[in-house]
Amino acid sequence: MNTFSFLALFPMSERSEKRTMRATADQVAREANVSRVAVSRAFNPNASLKQEKRDRILQIARELNYTPDMAARSLVTRRTHLVGMIVPDVCSPWESAEIDALTTALQAEGFATLLFKAKADFSMDPTLLTYMRGFNPDSVIAFTENIEPDVLSGFLDHAVPIYVIYDDAEQFAGKPSASLYDRLLVRQSDGIGQAVALLQGYGVRRIAYLAGKTQSLANTERQRMITKAMAERGMEPPVIVAGDYTYDTAYRATLDLFRIGEGADAVFASNDVGAFGAIDALRHELGLSVPGDVKVVGFDDIPQSHWKSYNLTTVRIDLEERVRALVRLILMRLKTPDAAPLTETLSTRLVVRGTVG
Amino acid sequence: MNTFSFLALFPMSERSEKRTMRATADQVAREANVSRVAVSRAFNPNASLKQEKRDRILQIARELNYTPDMAARSLVTRRTHLVGMIVPDVCSPWESAEIDALTTALQAEGFATLLFKAKADFSMDPTLLTYMRGFNPDSVIAFTENIEPDVLSGFLDHAVPIYVIYDDAEQFAGKPSASLYDRLLVRQSDGIGQAVALLQGYGVRRIAYLAGKTQSLANTERQRMITKAMAERGMEPPVIVAGDYTYDTAYRATLDLFRIGEGADAVFASNDVGAFGAIDALRHELGLSVPGDVKVVGFDDIPQSHWKSYNLTTVRIDLEERVRALVRLILMRLKTPDAAPLTETLSTRLVVRGTVG
DNA sequence: GCCAGAAATGAAAACGTGTTCATTCAAGGT
DNA sequence: ACCTTGAATGAACACGTTTTCATTTCTGGC
């Protein structure tokens, strides 16, 4: 029992013992005394075929362990039912959660995930793109944000981008292209407003924003919205601390902020993992209390955020909802390419736990 | 800049504006004044073709943005260059790290990862398998351990399993099949021995083993090796606490152990995430000190284990090394199907941090 | 019992590539 | 100058499916 995890498959020609090929539509047809076309139709629900005949074919197909060959099918259909995902770091909690949810949702719709690892610096590798192109994915999801849509969609033929934009649809007023395409609008300002209000309620005056990757649009918009929310409440602009979404960088940046810099009443991290780094630096190296001396707020609400050691107060982006909206957009555009551009909107909200108050 | 993450592709027939198909080998051939066969050969390094001719073809291919169509190619080659991965939980730190490393390694060898989400209960879904079969992956990696190899390799044609076994190759003495196939032997006992020795050195007498999924072979072998190591040092057998590799279950199980049960001097968790749950329960709910009152040891050494809040002492499985060995086995078997069965061995070692001593 | 329209059917033509096989070409040894 | 060997070449076929299109069979209304 439970003896294995890995399995290699081999084409018939190379296995001397097993001479049983994968069953083909022709074999099923012969066995069922019908034409090969009938077999094809049996597997296509809305093709016209006598019910009784269809049942018999499917029965025989099951006995022969037959499944239509996707490669052959996609050759004529021009649909591979593959969705390419380009990911720099599968280990990142937020990204792995998003991959998980996307794969689940797409799988339910009959699409399989084709996973590619991008370079660590988030850059888009032309070789990788060329390589991926060969598989002809029906759609591509890129988890890196530092490449122009035009470059990528020029590389992949007939690609129509779906924009993920933050807070202000108007920030793209100058780019006419943005309004021509489908968009997912994430209103980060909602949760950020709640967070800033809560912090101010606790008497916080000086907030440090622990930034993420500078190429990340999500990051720059988070920073902008925090600054805006603070201004609206009559607070001074936040102190900006450079970061890159990782624990280690956040840890060191926090040390610098409090040792070399002038510290802060609260640290607003650009993501939860960064918040963890900040908390650990404050508690375990600087000897400060969270939330006693310094409040900490994160962003994302990953599963680890409710772990008791951190118990993080954070701005939650509902992953399930986000993925549902994205999959809806992708499938809509795939089914009806000429439909009018659609915009989905996603709110965010503050989840209050133990690192504030 | 940095305005998008998602991209949908569409077959020509459905896009009214763009009428430019993907370039085909015929077009390249016509443009270069050669036969289509020459184009095929140009992309196959060990086919015989005049160097000058090959260069010209590749040049023109680049200009036309041409890449061989994998679907068409695999139809005749019987090789898809796809490796299917069946994963119950992509979010799990250890699994996501393994997916990341495997994808990187396989990508370097020209294989792409085809990701499928299995049911949450680790069970193998026949529908999923049938579905995956359609894509004809060259190889399959299953991250779930509760299905007989025979069942799966019967389902997928011409599948030859690669066994991952733990500590004793002899445990499969009764199963002749095990010695017929390739194997990765993980010597968990190495690191476990070091851990038990260290704990005994600190005067620990009563160890609780916080178990993982009972269907997991890795788990049962960890338990067996801990018991064995303790016996060899004249210690009483460990207290077994049921678990399932998750934080929440580990947290509650630890509470029960110390409130209802009789507690322990040390908790040996079946994985790092479980150790985190134990630590948090001890520190934040039971008011005990780690490592003062109770020592904690984990298993895996995931990236989070060095985070200061946990700073976990743990038995490290070298992920890179493990993945290298696995990829080596898979590729070897794929290239030379009739080669003699190979066994790779992997050691483990204790990484000492702050939760012991 | 007849006719129109709809549903069911199979032959043939794609889809884009790799491979076989017989042929041509170039080079090198006597 | 001749033969031999090996490399270079392209025509034809194969891979397993879907789709088109023309034909046949069924259905229901008069």
Side-chain angles (χ1 to χ4, degrees), chain A residues 10-12 19-25 27 64-71, chain B residues 78 80 129-137 155-158:
Chain A
F10 306 102
M12 182 217 73
R19 277 288 166 199
T20 53
M21 273 283 278
R22 267 199 59 159
T24 171
Q27 295 178 28
L64 265 57
N65 204 11
Y66 166 78
T67 305
D69 184 309
M70 285 301 219
Chain B
R78 317 300 296 149
T80 55
L129 286 178
T130 309
Y131 177 53
M132 188 186 66
R133 230 174 63 93
F135 287 100
N136 266 322
F155 218 102
L156 306 162
D157 335 61
H158 324 303

mmCIF file of all heavy atoms in Angstrom, chain A residues 10-12 19-25 27 64-71, chain B residues 78 80 129-137 155-158, chain D residues 15-17:
data_model
loop_
_atom_site.group_PDB
_atom_site.id
_atom_site.type_symbol
_atom_site.label_atom_id
_atom_site.label_comp_id
_atom_site.label_asym_id
_atom_site.label_seq_id
_atom_site.Cartn_x
_atom_site.Cartn_y
_atom_site.Cartn_z
ATOM 1 N N PHE A 10 5.279 5.192 -21.403
ATOM 2 C CA PHE A 10 6.099 4.983 -22.582
ATOM 3 C C PHE A 10 5.267 4.654 -23.800
ATOM 4 O O PHE A 10 4.290 3.923 -23.710
ATOM 5 C CB PHE A 10 7.094 3.860 -22.338
ATOM 6 C CG PHE A 10 7.884 4.106 -21.115
ATOM 7 C CD1 PHE A 10 7.595 3.452 -19.946
ATOM 8 C CD2 PHE A 10 8.889 5.051 -21.124
ATOM 9 C CE1 PHE A 10 8.302 3.706 -18.799
ATOM 10 C CE2 PHE A 10 9.601 5.312 -19.978
ATOM 11 C CZ PHE A 10 9.313 4.640 -18.818
ATOM 12 N N PRO A 11 5.659 5.173 -24.932
ATOM 13 C CA PRO A 11 4.975 4.828 -26.178
ATOM 14 C C PRO A 11 5.194 3.364 -26.490
ATOM 15 O O PRO A 11 6.231 2.802 -26.163
ATOM 16 C CB PRO A 11 5.664 5.708 -27.211
ATOM 17 C CG PRO A 11 6.971 6.065 -26.618
ATOM 18 C CD PRO A 11 6.775 6.084 -25.146
ATOM 19 N N MET A 12 4.222 2.768 -27.136
ATOM 20 C CA MET A 12 4.267 1.338 -27.403
ATOM 21 C C MET A 12 5.551 0.869 -28.075
ATOM 22 O O MET A 12 6.161 -0.091 -27.658
ATOM 23 C CB MET A 12 3.101 0.932 -28.290
ATOM 24 C CG MET A 12 3.049 -0.550 -28.582
ATOM 25 S SD MET A 12 2.487 -0.837 -30.253
ATOM 26 C CE MET A 12 3.919 -0.335 -31.200
ATOM 27 N N ARG A 19 2.297 -4.933 -26.111
ATOM 28 C CA ARG A 19 2.080 -4.547 -27.505
ATOM 29 C C ARG A 19 0.698 -3.933 -27.702
ATOM 30 O O ARG A 19 0.261 -3.708 -28.808
ATOM 31 C CB ARG A 19 2.228 -5.785 -28.407
ATOM 32 C CG ARG A 19 3.677 -6.098 -28.745
ATOM 33 C CD ARG A 19 4.250 -5.075 -29.714
ATOM 34 N NE ARG A 19 5.701 -5.171 -29.777
ATOM 35 C CZ ARG A 19 6.482 -4.181 -30.238
ATOM 36 N NH1 ARG A 19 5.947 -3.056 -30.649
ATOM 37 N NH2 ARG A 19 7.775 -4.326 -30.281
ATOM 38 N N THR A 20 0.005 -3.718 -26.614
ATOM 39 C CA THR A 20 -1.340 -3.134 -26.732
ATOM 40 C C THR A 20 -1.260 -1.622 -26.811
ATOM 41 O O THR A 20 -0.982 -0.951 -25.847
ATOM 42 C CB THR A 20 -2.196 -3.517 -25.516
ATOM 43 O OG1 THR A 20 -1.455 -3.162 -24.353
ATOM 44 C CG2 THR A 20 -2.494 -4.987 -25.492
ATOM 45 N N MET A 21 -1.520 -1.113 -27.985
ATOM 46 C CA MET A 21 -1.532 0.332 -28.196
ATOM 47 C C MET A 21 -2.686 0.952 -27.423
ATOM 48 O O MET A 21 -3.591 0.271 -26.973
ATOM 49 C CB MET A 21 -1.746 0.636 -29.685
ATOM 50 C CG MET A 21 -0.489 0.670 -30.504
ATOM 51 S SD MET A 21 0.387 2.216 -30.239
ATOM 52 C CE MET A 21 -0.513 3.287 -31.374
ATOM 53 N N ARG A 22 -2.656 2.266 -27.311
ATOM 54 C CA ARG A 22 -3.849 2.978 -26.862
ATOM 55 C C ARG A 22 -4.940 2.692 -27.875
ATOM 56 O O ARG A 22 -4.706 2.724 -29.088
ATOM 57 C CB ARG A 22 -3.579 4.488 -26.870
ATOM 58 C CG ARG A 22 -3.108 5.032 -25.562
ATOM 59 C CD ARG A 22 -3.309 6.515 -25.497
ATOM 60 N NE ARG A 22 -4.708 6.863 -25.674
ATOM 61 C CZ ARG A 22 -5.224 8.011 -25.285
ATOM 62 N NH1 ARG A 22 -4.456 8.915 -24.752
ATOM 63 N NH2 ARG A 22 -6.493 8.282 -25.469
ATOM 64 N N ALA A 23 -6.155 2.427 -27.387
ATOM 65 C CA ALA A 23 -7.268 2.190 -28.303
ATOM 66 C C ALA A 23 -7.520 3.438 -29.139
ATOM 67 O O ALA A 23 -7.368 4.556 -28.660
ATOM 68 C CB ALA A 23 -8.506 1.829 -27.512
ATOM 69 N N THR A 24 -7.867 3.241 -30.397
ATOM 70 C CA THR A 24 -8.151 4.364 -31.281
ATOM 71 C C THR A 24 -9.622 4.351 -31.684
ATOM 72 O O THR A 24 -10.314 3.341 -31.514
ATOM 73 C CB THR A 24 -7.257 4.285 -32.530
ATOM 74 O OG1 THR A 24 -7.681 5.263 -33.462
ATOM 75 C CG2 THR A 24 -7.355 2.922 -33.161
ATOM 76 N N ALA A 25 -10.082 5.481 -32.208
ATOM 77 C CA ALA A 25 -11.499 5.590 -32.587
ATOM 78 C C ALA A 25 -11.863 4.515 -33.602
ATOM 79 O O ALA A 25 -12.986 3.986 -33.600
ATOM 80 C CB ALA A 25 -11.780 6.977 -33.143
ATOM 81 N N GLN A 27 -10.738 1.441 -33.838
ATOM 82 C CA GLN A 27 -10.983 0.170 -33.163
ATOM 83 C C GLN A 27 -12.359 0.147 -32.521
ATOM 84 O O GLN A 27 -13.085 -0.850 -32.623
ATOM 85 C CB GLN A 27 -9.912 -0.065 -32.090
ATOM 86 C CG GLN A 27 -8.519 -0.235 -32.676
ATOM 87 C CD GLN A 27 -7.479 -0.406 -31.572
ATOM 88 O OE1 GLN A 27 -7.783 -0.890 -30.498
ATOM 89 N NE2 GLN A 27 -6.258 -0.002 -31.859
ATOM 90 N N LEU A 64 -12.834 -0.660 -23.847
ATOM 91 C CA LEU A 64 -11.531 -0.610 -24.502
ATOM 92 C C LEU A 64 -10.619 0.447 -23.888
ATOM 93 O O LEU A 64 -9.489 0.626 -24.316
ATOM 94 C CB LEU A 64 -11.709 -0.317 -26.001
ATOM 95 C CG LEU A 64 -11.739 -1.540 -26.924
ATOM 96 C CD1 LEU A 64 -12.837 -2.493 -26.487
ATOM 97 C CD2 LEU A 64 -11.956 -1.097 -28.352
ATOM 98 N N ASN A 65 -11.151 1.144 -22.863
ATOM 99 C CA ASN A 65 -10.380 2.189 -22.208
ATOM 100 C C ASN A 65 -9.978 3.273 -23.211
ATOM 101 O O ASN A 65 -8.850 3.751 -23.218
ATOM 102 C CB ASN A 65 -9.138 1.577 -21.545
ATOM 103 C CG ASN A 65 -8.635 2.435 -20.404
ATOM 104 O OD1 ASN A 65 -9.319 3.371 -19.985
ATOM 105 N ND2 ASN A 65 -7.454 2.137 -19.920
ATOM 106 N N TYR A 66 -10.942 3.641 -24.044
ATOM 107 C CA TYR A 66 -10.650 4.618 -25.088
ATOM 108 C C TYR A 66 -10.982 6.045 -24.662
ATOM 109 O O TYR A 66 -12.005 6.294 -24.023
ATOM 110 C CB TYR A 66 -11.442 4.292 -26.357
ATOM 111 C CG TYR A 66 -11.457 5.412 -27.364
ATOM 112 C CD1 TYR A 66 -10.353 5.653 -28.179
ATOM 113 C CD2 TYR A 66 -12.559 6.256 -27.474
ATOM 114 C CE1 TYR A 66 -10.356 6.694 -29.082
ATOM 115 C CE2 TYR A 66 -12.576 7.303 -28.379
ATOM 116 C CZ TYR A 66 -11.470 7.523 -29.184
ATOM 117 O OH TYR A 66 -11.472 8.555 -30.069
ATOM 118 N N THR A 67 -10.107 6.952 -24.984
ATOM 119 C CA THR A 67 -10.329 8.386 -24.808
ATOM 120 C C THR A 67 -9.832 9.086 -26.065
ATOM 121 O O THR A 67 -8.772 8.727 -26.565
ATOM 122 C CB THR A 67 -9.525 8.928 -23.609
ATOM 123 O OG1 THR A 67 -9.847 8.174 -22.461
ATOM 124 C CG2 THR A 67 -9.852 10.383 -23.367
ATOM 125 N N PRO A 68 -10.569 10.062 -26.557
ATOM 126 C CA PRO A 68 -10.077 10.776 -27.743
ATOM 127 C C PRO A 68 -8.703 11.375 -27.483
ATOM 128 O O PRO A 68 -8.436 11.887 -26.403
ATOM 129 C CB PRO A 68 -11.123 11.883 -27.937
ATOM 130 C CG PRO A 68 -12.340 11.386 -27.272
ATOM 131 C CD PRO A 68 -11.866 10.538 -26.122
ATOM 132 N N ASP A 69 -7.838 11.311 -28.434
ATOM 133 C CA ASP A 69 -6.493 11.862 -28.322
ATOM 134 C C ASP A 69 -6.550 13.378 -28.483
ATOM 135 O O ASP A 69 -6.936 13.896 -29.523
ATOM 136 C CB ASP A 69 -5.619 11.238 -29.406
ATOM 137 C CG ASP A 69 -4.173 11.680 -29.293
ATOM 138 O OD1 ASP A 69 -3.929 12.892 -29.208
ATOM 139 O OD2 ASP A 69 -3.302 10.812 -29.298
ATOM 140 N N MET A 70 -6.146 14.076 -27.400
ATOM 141 C CA MET A 70 -6.225 15.533 -27.395
ATOM 142 C C MET A 70 -5.385 16.162 -28.502
ATOM 143 O O MET A 70 -5.775 17.173 -29.092
ATOM 144 C CB MET A 70 -5.769 16.064 -26.039
ATOM 145 C CG MET A 70 -6.795 15.866 -24.953
ATOM 146 S SD MET A 70 -8.364 16.664 -25.331
ATOM 147 C CE MET A 70 -8.814 17.285 -23.712
ATOM 148 N N ALA A 71 -4.224 15.593 -28.758
ATOM 149 C CA ALA A 71 -3.335 16.172 -29.768
ATOM 150 C C ALA A 71 -4.008 16.144 -31.135
ATOM 151 O O ALA A 71 -4.077 17.158 -31.824
ATOM 152 C CB ALA A 71 -2.016 15.404 -29.801
ATOM 153 N N ARG B 78 4.751 10.315 -31.015
ATOM 154 C CA ARG B 78 4.266 9.615 -29.822
ATOM 155 C C ARG B 78 4.944 10.144 -28.577
ATOM 156 O O ARG B 78 5.078 9.434 -27.593
ATOM 157 C CB ARG B 78 4.480 8.089 -29.922
ATOM 158 C CG ARG B 78 4.150 7.478 -31.247
ATOM 159 C CD ARG B 78 2.723 7.672 -31.655
ATOM 160 N NE ARG B 78 1.809 7.010 -30.750
ATOM 161 C CZ ARG B 78 0.589 7.452 -30.478
ATOM 162 N NH1 ARG B 78 0.163 8.579 -31.010
ATOM 163 N NH2 ARG B 78 -0.197 6.790 -29.681
ATOM 164 N N THR B 80 4.758 13.683 -26.144
ATOM 165 C CA THR B 80 4.114 14.993 -25.978
ATOM 166 C C THR B 80 5.006 16.000 -25.266
ATOM 167 O O THR B 80 4.724 17.190 -25.267
ATOM 168 C CB THR B 80 2.827 14.845 -25.146
ATOM 169 O OG1 THR B 80 3.157 14.208 -23.917
ATOM 170 C CG2 THR B 80 1.806 14.028 -25.901
ATOM 171 N N LEU B 129 -8.300 10.933 -13.992
ATOM 172 C CA LEU B 129 -7.304 10.129 -14.684
ATOM 173 C C LEU B 129 -7.658 9.985 -16.163
ATOM 174 O O LEU B 129 -6.810 10.130 -17.036
ATOM 175 C CB LEU B 129 -7.203 8.749 -14.039
ATOM 176 C CG LEU B 129 -6.491 8.724 -12.699
ATOM 177 C CD1 LEU B 129 -6.496 7.332 -12.118
ATOM 178 C CD2 LEU B 129 -5.067 9.224 -12.876
ATOM 179 N N THR B 130 -8.934 9.700 -16.420
ATOM 180 C CA THR B 130 -9.380 9.569 -17.803
ATOM 181 C C THR B 130 -9.114 10.866 -18.554
ATOM 182 O O THR B 130 -8.638 10.860 -19.694
ATOM 183 C CB THR B 130 -10.892 9.278 -17.839
ATOM 184 O OG1 THR B 130 -11.159 8.186 -16.969
ATOM 185 C CG2 THR B 130 -11.332 8.935 -19.249
ATOM 186 N N TYR B 131 -9.439 11.945 -17.895
ATOM 187 C CA TYR B 131 -9.251 13.264 -18.480
ATOM 188 C C TYR B 131 -7.779 13.498 -18.807
ATOM 189 O O TYR B 131 -7.412 13.874 -19.920
ATOM 190 C CB TYR B 131 -9.761 14.303 -17.490
ATOM 191 C CG TYR B 131 -9.588 15.730 -17.910
ATOM 192 C CD1 TYR B 131 -10.058 16.167 -19.140
ATOM 193 C CD2 TYR B 131 -8.960 16.638 -17.069
ATOM 194 C CE1 TYR B 131 -9.899 17.477 -19.521
ATOM 195 C CE2 TYR B 131 -8.806 17.954 -17.445
ATOM 196 C CZ TYR B 131 -9.269 18.363 -18.667
ATOM 197 O OH TYR B 131 -9.090 19.673 -19.035
ATOM 198 N N MET B 132 -6.937 13.214 -17.826
ATOM 199 C CA MET B 132 -5.503 13.430 -18.016
ATOM 200 C C MET B 132 -4.944 12.541 -19.126
ATOM 201 O O MET B 132 -4.112 12.965 -19.921
ATOM 202 C CB MET B 132 -4.766 13.149 -16.708
ATOM 203 C CG MET B 132 -3.310 13.528 -16.732
ATOM 204 S SD MET B 132 -2.482 13.023 -15.231
ATOM 205 C CE MET B 132 -2.588 11.248 -15.385
ATOM 206 N N ARG B 133 -5.429 11.318 -19.159
ATOM 207 C CA ARG B 133 -4.978 10.361 -20.159
ATOM 208 C C ARG B 133 -5.092 10.914 -21.572
ATOM 209 O O ARG B 133 -4.274 10.632 -22.441
ATOM 210 C CB ARG B 133 -5.825 9.099 -20.054
ATOM 211 C CG ARG B 133 -5.064 7.811 -19.978
ATOM 212 C CD ARG B 133 -6.040 6.687 -19.726
ATOM 213 N NE ARG B 133 -6.990 6.545 -20.819
ATOM 214 C CZ ARG B 133 -6.819 5.726 -21.853
ATOM 215 N NH1 ARG B 133 -5.755 4.969 -21.904
ATOM 216 N NH2 ARG B 133 -7.712 5.654 -22.810
ATOM 217 N N GLY B 134 -6.149 11.713 -21.776
ATOM 218 C CA GLY B 134 -6.376 12.285 -23.100
ATOM 219 C C GLY B 134 -5.222 13.145 -23.580
ATOM 220 O O GLY B 134 -4.981 13.267 -24.773
ATOM 221 N N PHE B 135 -4.492 13.741 -22.630
ATOM 222 C CA PHE B 135 -3.386 14.616 -23.006
ATOM 223 C C PHE B 135 -2.113 13.828 -23.294
ATOM 224 O O PHE B 135 -1.113 14.406 -23.718
ATOM 225 C CB PHE B 135 -3.120 15.638 -21.898
ATOM 226 C CG PHE B 135 -4.166 16.702 -21.812
ATOM 227 C CD1 PHE B 135 -5.174 16.641 -20.871
ATOM 228 C CD2 PHE B 135 -4.154 17.769 -22.696
ATOM 229 C CE1 PHE B 135 -6.147 17.626 -20.806
ATOM 230 C CE2 PHE B 135 -5.117 18.755 -22.625
ATOM 231 C CZ PHE B 135 -6.121 18.680 -21.686
ATOM 232 N N ASN B 136 -2.156 12.526 -23.023
ATOM 233 C CA ASN B 136 -1.003 11.679 -23.323
ATOM 234 C C ASN B 136 0.314 12.153 -22.730
ATOM 235 O O ASN B 136 1.316 12.280 -23.448
ATOM 236 C CB ASN B 136 -0.827 11.580 -24.838
ATOM 237 C CG ASN B 136 -1.526 10.370 -25.390
ATOM 238 O OD1 ASN B 136 -1.533 9.313 -24.766
ATOM 239 N ND2 ASN B 136 -2.120 10.528 -26.553
ATOM 240 N N PRO B 137 0.356 12.419 -21.446
ATOM 241 C CA PRO B 137 1.634 12.857 -20.862
ATOM 242 C C PRO B 137 2.673 11.748 -20.999
ATOM 243 O O PRO B 137 2.339 10.568 -20.928
ATOM 244 C CB PRO B 137 1.285 13.105 -19.396
ATOM 245 C CG PRO B 137 0.063 12.294 -19.143
ATOM 246 C CD PRO B 137 -0.692 12.274 -20.434
ATOM 247 N N PHE B 155 -4.513 1.944 -15.439
ATOM 248 C CA PHE B 155 -5.367 2.970 -16.012
ATOM 249 C C PHE B 155 -4.666 3.706 -17.142
ATOM 250 O O PHE B 155 -5.224 3.980 -18.193
ATOM 251 C CB PHE B 155 -5.763 3.966 -14.923
ATOM 252 C CG PHE B 155 -7.165 4.436 -15.069
ATOM 253 C CD1 PHE B 155 -8.169 3.920 -14.267
ATOM 254 C CD2 PHE B 155 -7.494 5.378 -16.021
ATOM 255 C CE1 PHE B 155 -9.474 4.344 -14.405
ATOM 256 C CE2 PHE B 155 -8.795 5.801 -16.157
ATOM 257 C CZ PHE B 155 -9.787 5.286 -15.360
ATOM 258 N N LEU B 156 -3.410 4.023 -16.883
ATOM 259 C CA LEU B 156 -2.615 4.691 -17.906
ATOM 260 C C LEU B 156 -1.856 3.590 -18.641
ATOM 261 O O LEU B 156 -1.254 2.732 -18.017
ATOM 262 C CB LEU B 156 -1.629 5.658 -17.240
ATOM 263 C CG LEU B 156 -2.281 6.658 -16.299
ATOM 264 C CD1 LEU B 156 -1.265 7.278 -15.367
ATOM 265 C CD2 LEU B 156 -2.983 7.734 -17.092
ATOM 266 N N ASP B 157 -1.861 3.632 -19.947
ATOM 267 C CA ASP B 157 -1.256 2.542 -20.686
ATOM 268 C C ASP B 157 0.260 2.619 -20.652
ATOM 269 O O ASP B 157 0.841 3.690 -20.687
ATOM 270 C CB ASP B 157 -1.715 2.580 -22.140
ATOM 271 C CG ASP B 157 -3.054 3.279 -22.290
ATOM 272 O OD1 ASP B 157 -3.111 4.483 -21.936
ATOM 273 O OD2 ASP B 157 -3.985 2.650 -22.722
ATOM 274 N N HIS B 158 0.883 1.470 -20.600
ATOM 275 C CA HIS B 158 2.343 1.377 -20.664
ATOM 276 C C HIS B 158 3.032 2.164 -19.561
ATOM 277 O O HIS B 158 4.087 2.739 -19.771
ATOM 278 C CB HIS B 158 2.863 1.881 -22.002
ATOM 279 C CG HIS B 158 1.966 1.538 -23.125
ATOM 280 N ND1 HIS B 158 1.628 0.238 -23.395
ATOM 281 C CD2 HIS B 158 1.312 2.300 -24.023
ATOM 282 C CE1 HIS B 158 0.820 0.228 -24.434
ATOM 283 N NE2 HIS B 158 0.598 1.451 -24.833
ATOM 284 P P DC D 15 -0.374 4.815 -38.731
ATOM 285 O OP1 DC D 15 0.105 3.552 -38.129
ATOM 286 O OP2 DC D 15 -1.629 4.863 -39.506
ATOM 287 O "O5'" DC D 15 -0.500 5.898 -37.588
ATOM 288 C "C5'" DC D 15 0.629 6.478 -36.959
ATOM 289 C "C4'" DC D 15 0.220 7.768 -36.336
ATOM 290 O "O4'" DC D 15 0.361 8.821 -37.307
ATOM 291 C "C3'" DC D 15 -1.257 7.826 -35.955
ATOM 292 O "O3'" DC D 15 -1.394 7.425 -34.599
ATOM 293 C "C2'" DC D 15 -1.640 9.293 -36.149
ATOM 294 C "C1'" DC D 15 -0.469 9.890 -36.925
ATOM 295 N N1 DC D 15 -0.835 10.616 -38.170
ATOM 296 C C2 DC D 15 -0.283 11.884 -38.399
ATOM 297 O O2 DC D 15 0.483 12.353 -37.560
ATOM 298 N N3 DC D 15 -0.615 12.554 -39.535
ATOM 299 C C4 DC D 15 -1.454 11.992 -40.409
ATOM 300 N N4 DC D 15 -1.752 12.696 -41.510
ATOM 301 C C5 DC D 15 -2.013 10.712 -40.193
ATOM 302 C C6 DC D 15 -1.681 10.061 -39.072
ATOM 303 P P DG D 16 -2.568 6.413 -34.190
ATOM 304 O OP1 DG D 16 -2.195 5.754 -32.928
ATOM 305 O OP2 DG D 16 -2.916 5.609 -35.378
ATOM 306 O "O5'" DG D 16 -3.815 7.370 -33.877
ATOM 307 C "C5'" DG D 16 -3.710 8.302 -32.825
ATOM 308 C "C4'" DG D 16 -4.827 9.309 -32.946
ATOM 309 O "O4'" DG D 16 -4.650 10.040 -34.177
ATOM 310 C "C3'" DG D 16 -6.221 8.677 -33.012
ATOM 311 O "O3'" DG D 16 -7.032 9.306 -32.044
ATOM 312 C "C2'" DG D 16 -6.687 8.964 -34.436
ATOM 313 C "C1'" DG D 16 -5.910 10.211 -34.791
ATOM 314 N N9 DG D 16 -5.666 10.386 -36.209
ATOM 315 C C8 DG D 16 -5.363 9.410 -37.132
ATOM 316 N N7 DG D 16 -5.179 9.876 -38.337
ATOM 317 C C5 DG D 16 -5.370 11.256 -38.209
ATOM 318 C C6 DG D 16 -5.295 12.285 -39.182
ATOM 319 O O6 DG D 16 -5.043 12.185 -40.391
ATOM 320 N N1 DG D 16 -5.548 13.531 -38.625
ATOM 321 C C2 DG D 16 -5.838 13.752 -37.290
ATOM 322 N N2 DG D 16 -6.051 15.011 -36.932
ATOM 323 N N3 DG D 16 -5.910 12.789 -36.383
ATOM 324 C C4 DG D 16 -5.668 11.576 -36.905
ATOM 325 P P DT D 17 -8.550 8.855 -31.825
ATOM 326 O OP1 DT D 17 -8.799 8.773 -30.385
ATOM 327 O OP2 DT D 17 -8.804 7.679 -32.684
ATOM 328 O "O5'" DT D 17 -9.363 10.057 -32.470
ATOM 329 C "C5'" DT D 17 -9.589 11.228 -31.762
ATOM 330 C "C4'" DT D 17 -9.555 12.434 -32.683
ATOM 331 O "O4'" DT D 17 -8.863 12.134 -33.904
ATOM 332 C "C3'" DT D 17 -10.895 12.920 -33.174
ATOM 333 O "O3'" DT D 17 -11.467 13.734 -32.172
ATOM 334 C "C2'" DT D 17 -10.547 13.705 -34.407
ATOM 335 C "C1'" DT D 17 -9.169 13.146 -34.832
ATOM 336 N N1 DT D 17 -9.132 12.573 -36.199
ATOM 337 C C2 DT D 17 -9.117 13.426 -37.267
ATOM 338 O O2 DT D 17 -9.141 14.639 -37.173
ATOM 339 N N3 DT D 17 -9.067 12.800 -38.490
ATOM 340 C C4 DT D 17 -9.029 11.435 -38.730
ATOM 341 O O4 DT D 17 -8.974 10.991 -39.864
ATOM 342 C C5 DT D 17 -9.052 10.615 -37.558
ATOM 343 C C7 DT D 17 -9.022 9.111 -37.694
ATOM 344 C C6 DT D 17 -9.101 11.200 -36.355
#
